[in-house]
Amino acid sequence: MKSLTALRGLGTDELLGLVDGAMRMRSSLDQAEPVEPVLLDRCVANLFFEPSTRTRLSFDLAAKRLGAEVITFNPGTSSTTKGESLRDTVLTVSAIGADIMVVRHNLEGVPTAAAEWTGKPVVNAGDGTNEHPTQALLDAVTLKRHFGEVTGLTIGIVGDVAHSRVANSLIHLLPSLGADLVVAGPEEWLPSTDLVEKSTSLETLLPDLDVVYLLRVQTERGGVITEDYVNDFRLDERRASMLRDRAIVMHPGPMNRGVEIDDAVADSPRAKMNEQVRNGVPTRMAVFAALEGSLQ
Ligand code: NCD
């Protein structure tokens, strides 16, 4: 694997290799086993043109745990504010000495373009509404660690699916791993693809789900929070009580409490958001190792 710009296009074996590699990486970290420093003498550049907390910090730590030096580009204090083009900025970071670039941008396709411009490996940390591959991979790790298997799970992705790059990556990954996937939300937020089952009623769906995967309304990408949406789709305590005992709740973060989820659910034992975040570092370590051709 030269770059990781999308999960679409990767086969089941390759996807499973990444998920299982990330599972092993997580076990090594948990047991404080030494991890092969496959990024020694490498420089990883984080180029986040959009805000980020968990994704940027976990890429940062993942690279450092593998021995890399990390440089971080901050658009607010960089020459982008002086009118430098995106291509020139990316080429500058490459010329400074970045060996691997982690790119987040609000335009679809920027990570792929960065790989073409520089000829260097790029990891997509979220491009517009397109994909967020490492988020989906860490979610698969979370599911596999919790349930033992992804195969046979019924998973509902709920909310602003149409504008969600996380949902796009999950829609490719989860069925490849054998899950039954349903997306639910207001009609106008459901994707046009026929490759996934769709529902406009959360409450009829809840009793069938093993996993409710909630999404933030992407207001920066055209999503509008309406009273109807909150009334019909917010996961509150009453709705959560319609779930099976074994069902869990996931969310890529950042959560908007009171919009897609209530405190009582977000802080309940069903909520696995902290596990998702924990799996972010080993998953990104596995992706870096795969780029270096040394994923165990
Ligand atoms: C997501 C993103 O940026 O796409 N966040 C994340 O990386 N965990 C989801 C979101 O912003 O809603």
Side-chain angles (χ1 to χ4, degrees):
M1 191 172 73
K2 178 97 183 11
S3 284
L4 180 65
T5 52
L7 296 185
R8 210 181 306 116
L10 298 186
T12 305
D13 286 352
E14 218 164 348
L15 295 169
L16 263 178
L18 289 169
V19 173
D20 289 342
M23 303 269 293
R24 281 191 290 277
M25 206 60 101
R26 166 77 199 255
S27 302
S28 299
L29 294 183
D30 283 354
Q31 287 155 30
E33 283 171 9
V35 174
E36 198 191 337
V38 297
L39 295 183
L40 263 190
D41 305 324
R42 293 272 202 271
C43 172
V44 172
N46 274 326
L47 286 91
F48 280 66
F49 295 89
E50 269 192 1
S52 174
T53 304
R54 64 222 94 218
T55 304
R56 188 171 54 76
L57 291 177
S58 66
F59 267 113
D60 192 325
L61 189 55
K64 286 173 178 158
R65 289 220 160 129
L66 293 173
E69 285 182 305
V70 179
I71 54 175
T72 298
F73 161 85
N74 179 345
T77 55
S78 72
S79 293
T80 335
T81 60
K82 300 183 190 170
E84 186 168 69
S85 77
L86 177 62
R87 184 171 178 275
D88 286 338
T89 301
V90 169
L91 287 172
T92 299
V93 174
S94 173
I96 283 170
D99 299 300
I100 298 174
M101 286 188 251
V102 179
V103 178
R104 168 173 285 194
H105 201 283
N106 65 356
L107 290 177
E108 293 79 13
V110 168
T112 306
E116 281 165 14
W117 294 332
T118 62
K120 291 186 176 166
V122 171
V123 184
N124 179 0
D127 62 329
T129 60
N130 181 38
E131 279 224 32
H132 191 348
T134 57
Q135 177 67 45
L137 291 170
L138 74 87
D139 291 333
V141 170
T142 307
L143 291 168
K144 215 166 169 178
R145 283 178 57 87
H146 185 82
F147 290 106
E149 263 312 323
V150 177
T151 309
L153 293 176
T154 304
I155 302 174
I157 302 180
V158 180
D160 186 4
V161 182
H163 299 112
S164 172
R165 55 199 181 199
V166 175
N168 270 342
S169 290
L170 288 170
I171 286 171
H172 180 71
L173 178 63
L174 296 177
S176 303
L177 302 181
D180 290 323
L181 195 60
V182 190
V183 296
E187 189 78 54
E188 64 274 19
W189 285 352
L190 294 181
S192 48
T193 171
D194 286 329
L195 295 173
V196 65
E197 200 186 318
K198 301 177 213 179
S199 167
T200 51
S201 167
L202 177 59
E203 292 198 4
T204 48
L205 199 61
L206 287 173
D208 296 330
L209 298 180
D210 298 303
V211 182
V212 191
Y213 194 105
L214 300 170
L215 298 170
R216 180 178 64 87
V217 181
Q218 304 285 295
T219 48
E220 68 275 45
R221 294 180 231 289
V224 178
I225 301 171
T226 63
E227 217 175 290
D228 279 352
Y229 166 70
V230 175
N231 286 337
D232 295 345
F233 289 96
R234 181 183 53 205
L235 192 62
D236 56 16
E237 212 167 9
R238 183 185 67 80
R239 290 197 174 118
S241 72
M242 301 164 84
L243 288 163
R244 297 172 176 165
D245 286 347
R246 74 178 208 140
I248 62 168
V249 176
M250 295 171 67
H251 192 304
M255 285 187 282
N256 279 178
R257 289 169 182 253
V259 180
E260 68 269 16
I261 190 166
D262 268 359
D263 287 341
V265 181
D267 300 324
S268 74
R270 288 189 193 278
K272 300 300 168 201
M273 288 59 128
N274 284 337
E275 262 308 291
Q276 290 173 268
V277 172
R278 256 187 102 167
N279 289 324
V281 174
T283 300
R284 285 158 182 139
M285 289 170 76
V287 167
F288 284 135
L291 296 182
E292 293 293 318
S294 8
L295 182 61
Q296 302 290 314

